[in-house]
Every structure is written in C-alpha cells, then in structure tokens.
Amino acid sequence: PRKHPNIPYTCDASPEIVSQSGQSYKHSLEYNYKMNNSACNDRFNPTEGYDLHYNVELAGPPGDVGFLKCSGGVALHIPVVPEEQRQGHSRQQQNASLLHQLCSGLSFHASLNGGLIRPITYGGLCSPVTNLADRFFVGGPLQLRGFLPAGIGPRAETGGSSTPGGDAMGGDFYYTATAAGSVPFPGIPFLKNNGIRLMGFANAGTVSSLNGGNIPLQSILKSTRVSVGGGITMGLGVGRLEATYAIPIRYGPRDARKNAQFGLGFNMG
C-alpha cells in the first residue's frame, strides 16, 4: 500500500487494499497466443489486415489462490479509400475536391477486447475471492481513452485520498470496444511520409464484479463508459505511439478522467 502523503507511517489506502497486503503464493499454468499483427501491412500502425490474441491462465494448489482467467481480443483494419487514387499529376486529380483529398488513404479500424476471471476453491484449499493483483483494470491510452489507467470500475468506499476517484478494486469481467477512422496526415509531406496519421475514434468499455457467478448483461450495459475524440498515431520500431484528446460522454461520478493522453503500446486497443 502507498504511504500517506502527510502522515508518516500511515497507509494512504482503503481497508480493502490493506487487507491484501503481505505475501501471497500463486502457482499457475498459462497459455498465451499473439499474432503480433503478422496479418497486417504494418506491425504497429496498420491500415489493412487483422489481429488476434488470447490468454488462458489456470491457478491452484500448491498456491493459495485458485482461478480460471481468460482474456483476448480481435482487431480489424479495412482500407476504405486507397491512397494511390490521388497519385499522379493529371488535371482531373489536380482538380479533385478538398473532401476527396482529405479522405484519400482513409482506413477503418475496429477492435474488441474482453476478459473473465472466476475463482476456484479446490475444496477449500484456495480463497473464494479473487486476488486484487489478478483482476482486470480498465482505462488509459490504447485501451479506453479519456480515462486514467484503472480509471473506471468498482471503487473502495473509503481511503485512497491520493488516487483520483478512490482506490480501484478491479473487476472479474471487462470489455472494451473501439471504432476509428484514420488518414495520412494531410498538408505536411514530412509527417505523411513518416507514417503519421490523423485518427478519429469512439471508445466504449466497462469492468465489473460478478456477484453470483453470472454475467449481468443489463448491469454491464448500464455501467458502460463511452468517449469520443481524435489524435495522431505513428508506428515506431518499439511500438505504436499515439497522442489523443478524448471527451468522455458517459461516465460515473467517481471515474478518473483525463482528456489529453500519450500512449505507447503494441495494439490499437
């Protein structure tokens, strides 16, 4: 737990967080599959192709935590207006409308990610409650733009005064969805030639606890957060870099929001 910013030797954390401090032993088997955008035309800033990843983890004795955790996602990139349509120097192309010039090279992007974790007690050998470190957290750039990392979802009732919105407790289920359009950066050849693109997007997602073991569809829909915005993206040798400005249009009173964000990762999110 974090130290209190003003009171020495005091934790600035909720009782739920403090109760999970200390040692915990996890023994698990995990299988992970990633395409790493191998079916796309660009690994980090694709405009055509698809991507898939999933992960399955089973934990149990001799550890003191038991659960089955599954997560995964899929992304699709579709070129809408080929960029080569504005190549050349014909009179017809020179007289093309401004709208056509802006839309040239337009690509549509969509992604869907989700995960589920369920505790397994193994006849009382493991706790019936999932550990905080194993739960899902949602928010931040390349995932749910317009919100801080772990910016949405269940919160502790007290404590965590130095954390926007209070301590995030994570959830047993999450999903995020993104729909976006991007074009090569217009008007500045240097930016366009270096693969920088303008992007407009809409994000949606939630993270929640599953009481009773069922997935409450109505509750998930009611707790879904939504944001819209735009930004620039660029594929680097180490990942996808993006700078965005997002406006949350559906959020909760304790959500930690942030409009301008920078992110570096491997997937569009």
Side-chain angles (χ1 to χ4, degrees):
R2 301 176 304 275
K3 291 183 178 180
H4 196 282
N6 300 319
I7 306 176
Y9 312 112
T10 301
C11 292
D12 179 34
S14 63
E16 293 88 345
I17 297 293
V18 175
S19 67
Q20 295 210 17
S21 61
Q23 294 183 348
S24 178
Y25 177 55
K26 181 172 78 170
H27 178 268
S28 69
L29 298 174
E30 185 174 4
Y31 179 79
N32 187 290
Y33 174 80
K34 292 184 178 181
M35 291 184 64
N36 290 322
N37 284 331
S38 60
C40 297
N41 62 341
D42 187 284
R43 184 178 180 187
F44 297 124
N45 201 18
T47 59
E48 182 177 2
Y50 64 93
D51 187 40
L52 174 70
H53 65 91
Y54 60 86
N55 185 84
V56 180
E57 183 180 9
L58 178 65
D64 53 16
V65 294
F67 61 81
L68 176 63
K69 183 178 183 180
C70 304
S71 61
V74 61
L76 183 64
H77 312 277
I78 303 174
V80 179
V81 181
E83 188 174 351
E84 57 266 22
Q85 285 189 8
R86 63 175 178 179
Q87 301 297 323
H89 303 281
S90 68
R91 182 177 298 274
Q92 182 180 5
Q93 290 174 329
Q94 291 175 359
N95 295 330
S97 66
L98 177 61
L99 179 61
H100 179 272
Q101 293 180 32
L102 292 176
C103 291
S104 186
L106 173 66
S107 289
F108 172 75
H109 314 272
S111 68
L112 178 65
N113 296 273
L116 176 70
I117 181 172
R118 299 307 300 152
I120 303 175
T121 62
Y122 294 96
L125 296 177
C126 299
S127 171
V129 179
T130 55
N131 192 289
L132 184 73
D134 298 314
R135 297 173 192 163
F136 298 106
F137 295 86
V138 172
L142 290 95
Q143 190 187 43
L144 189 63
R145 301 165 183 88
F147 298 88
L148 287 173
I152 70 170
R155 300 274 175 180
E157 293 295 333
T158 60
S161 61
S162 64
T163 302
D167 285 335
M169 300 304 299
D172 303 318
F173 169 84
Y174 92 96
Y175 89 90
T176 59
T178 300
S182 71
V183 295
F185 201 99
I188 305 179
F190 174 79
L191 298 180
K192 173 194 167 186
N193 295 336
N194 282 277
I196 298 178
R197 300 178 67 86
L198 286 179
M199 176 181 68
F201 60 84
N203 284 164
T206 190
V207 57
S208 62
S209 300
L210 297 181
N211 298 321
N214 298 320
I215 300 178
L217 181 59
Q218 185 176 4
S219 175
I220 289 171
L221 293 176
K222 287 184 178 180
S223 66
T224 292
R225 274 48 172 166
V226 180
S227 66
V228 296
I232 59 174
T233 67
M234 180 181 183
L236 302 176
V238 295
R240 171 190 172 92
L241 177 67
E242 70 174 34
T244 59
Y245 187 90
I247 302 175
I249 59 177
R250 189 178 184 189
Y251 53 88
R254 301 188 68 190
D255 290 344
R257 292 167 283 155
K258 186 175 183 180
N259 299 110
Q261 293 179 313
F262 294 88
L264 177 65
F266 299 105
N267 299 303
M268 185 187 75

